[in-house]
């Protein structure tokens, strides 16, 4: 039997243009973070149609930034994260280099 890892929640998302954002909360089931050059939210999608599940707050499903101090084997171990503008419109603001 495999134990499930408790994934960190997206505590806040200030990217209002994202289709998963509703009043500062991300309602995607899970998000992916990471690009070669910065901690971009790959789940970001700009659309007039709102998506996600109203009763859920997103979790970090995967993080491709192995150089982040919260990353262990490409899984985020921060207590929670914030998403906002940095190098891009939607980046992980909790990212911290090792």
């Amino acid at each position: 039997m495999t134990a499930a890892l408790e994934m960190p929640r997206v505590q806040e998302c200030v990217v209002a243009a994202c289709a998963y954002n509703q009043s500062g909360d991300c309602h995607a089931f899970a998000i992916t973070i990471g690009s070669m050059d910065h901690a971009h939210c790959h789940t970001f999608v700009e659309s007039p149609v709102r998506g996600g599940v109203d009763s859920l707050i997103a979790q970090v499903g995967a993080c491709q930034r192995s150089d982040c101090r919260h990353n262990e084997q490409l899984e985020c171990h921060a207590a929670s994260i914030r998403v906002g503008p940095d190098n891009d419109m939607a980046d992980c603001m909790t990212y911290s280099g090792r």
Side-chain angles (χ1 to χ4, degrees):
M1 179 182 282
T2 303
L5 174 68
E6 182 67 28
M7 296 184 295
R9 300 277 178 203
V10 178
Q11 177 180 340
E12 176 186 39
C13 178
V14 298
V15 183
C18 183
Y20 291 107
N21 187 319
Q22 296 176 29
S23 302
D25 289 326
C26 179
H27 291 277
F29 182 76
I31 67 170
T32 298
I33 298 293
S35 289
M36 293 300 289
D37 59 345
H38 67 283
H40 175 68
C41 177
H42 283 285
T43 310
F44 168 78
V45 60
E46 194 167 1
S47 172
V49 177
R50 292 293 165 191
V53 180
D54 289 342
S55 61
L56 294 177
I57 300 296
Q59 306 170 84
V60 180
C63 179
Q64 300 168 358
R65 292 303 308 227
S66 61
D67 62 336
C68 179
R69 70 180 183 96
H70 301 292
N71 191 314
E72 186 176 311
Q73 297 178 321
L74 300 178
E75 300 292 337
C76 181
H77 289 270
S80 62
I81 71 159
R82 291 178 50 248
V83 176
D86 191 18
N87 289 331
D88 206 339
M89 184 176 281
D91 288 346
C92 178
M93 305 304 289
T94 309
Y95 167 83
S96 177
R98 294 181 197 260

